[in-house]
Amino acid sequence: MRLLLVEDDVELGRRLSERLRGADFAVDLAKTSDEAENWPDLDKMAAIILDLGLPDGDGVDLLRNWRANRVDCPILILTARGSWQDKVEGLNAGADDFVVKPVRFEELLARLNAQFRRHMGKRENVLEHAGLRLDPLTHVVELDGEQLTLSRQEFRLLHLFIRRAGQVLPQADILENLYELEAERELNTVEVLVGRLRRKIGKDRITTLRGMGYRFGQ
Ligand code: CA
């Protein structure tokens, strides 16, 4: 899943991106309000983590603009401002959660996951599809009760497929969801990755639609 992290503190931004990548997110990092507001692919983000004190503006204004422009993914405020007034303002502006720095990474991750559950309308984290079972928290994938060993990118791809089962996924969408850096995006990587995943989960689960993309499930 892809995340946008808006954080002007270079060191914190770097550390947090690293931890989030370690938790299998693709992370985009924006350092100013202006940069973040017009970030490409906002509609592809599974969530946004937003700092409030930005060099060129207030994160709350950014949040209001996004919500007014129908950016509807979960948005977590992560800020050093911790008064009740700040919290009320942030939540009223459209934030889904308000986290005060410093915070343990584990807590931030748990709060993110709680938002995904709420957003997807599910109480369970585990995703299931015709004998396949994927746990986004533990990264355990099972096929008919047997545990599979997937690489990080195979896991990400399967996660994406299960969440969008039955839909046609263009290769470009897959690339954008899997790789945060444009430089890493090459269409034949998707083909190779799909091929590897097919060998592990069964080739009939993924249909290739020539010139259009892939469809997982029926
Ligand atoms: Ca800041």
Side-chain angles (χ1 to χ4, degrees):
M1 289 194 274
R2 197 162 157 202
L3 290 183
L4 175 64
L5 171 62
V6 186
E7 175 59 72
D8 64 312
D9 181 320
V10 177
E11 180 53 26
L12 180 61
R14 190 189 60 76
R15 263 192 296 130
L16 201 50
S17 316
E18 234 166 60
R19 299 290 308 263
L20 287 164
R21 288 188 183 116
D24 257 346
F25 291 102
V27 184
D28 289 20
L29 178 60
K31 294 190 181 72
T32 64
S33 167
D34 191 44
E35 217 183 7
E37 179 151 27
N38 303 303
W39 197 261
D41 304 332
L42 267 182
D43 58 326
K44 304 270 184 346
M45 300 300 163
I48 299 173
I49 299 175
L50 175 65
D51 179 24
L52 293 185
L54 296 166
D56 57 340
D58 195 311
V60 173
D61 295 328
L62 183 58
L63 177 59
R64 283 200 189 93
N65 290 343
W66 274 335
R67 290 309 192 203
N69 287 302
R70 295 170 195 279
V71 174
D72 69 347
C73 67
I75 299 181
L76 273 81
I77 289 177
L78 176 62
T79 179
R81 297 182 203 163
S83 75
W84 68 264
Q85 290 93 338
D86 289 319
K87 291 178 188 167
V88 168
E89 193 190 11
L91 293 167
N92 282 342
D96 295 283
D97 200 354
F98 195 104
V99 183
V100 180
K101 293 173 188 167
V103 63
R104 295 277 310 184
F105 179 73
E106 289 76 5
E107 181 183 340
L108 183 68
L109 191 59
R111 287 180 177 275
L112 260 181
N113 282 320
Q115 287 308 324
F116 294 139
R117 283 200 300 277
R118 211 171 291 171
H119 203 65
M120 292 190 267
K122 287 179 191 149
R123 285 169 57 233
E124 287 282 310
N125 278 305
V126 174
L127 302 171
E128 292 194 67
H129 192 280
L132 264 174
R133 205 168 174 280
L134 180 148
D135 187 332
L137 291 182
T138 59
H139 290 183
V140 170
V141 178
E142 288 173 352
L143 175 60
D144 299 326
E146 299 252 332
Q147 197 166 325
L148 297 181
T149 310
L150 299 186
S151 72
R152 173 169 294 192
Q153 293 300 21
E154 289 162 4
F155 178 88
R156 280 189 183 178
L157 179 62
L158 181 61
H159 194 186
L160 179 66
F161 271 144
I162 294 187
R163 280 185 296 131
R164 295 180 48 187
Q167 299 174 21
V168 178
L169 276 174
Q171 286 195 334
D173 274 23
I174 296 176
L175 278 176
E176 279 171 7
N177 272 284
L178 256 53
Y179 300 94
E180 52 265 38
L181 299 175
E182 205 123 356
E184 293 176 342
R185 296 180 194 163
E186 273 184 55
L187 287 179
N188 63 0
T189 345
V190 175
E191 259 182 65
V192 174
L193 202 55
V194 168
R196 288 210 308 255
L197 191 58
R198 271 191 177 127
R199 279 196 287 282
K200 293 185 179 176
I201 64 170
K203 66 174 171 39
D204 297 337
R205 289 183 185 267
I206 306 167
T207 312
T208 305
L209 300 147
R210 220 161 273 288
M212 292 171 69
Y214 299 95
R215 189 182 58 225
F216 175 84
Q218 292 312 308

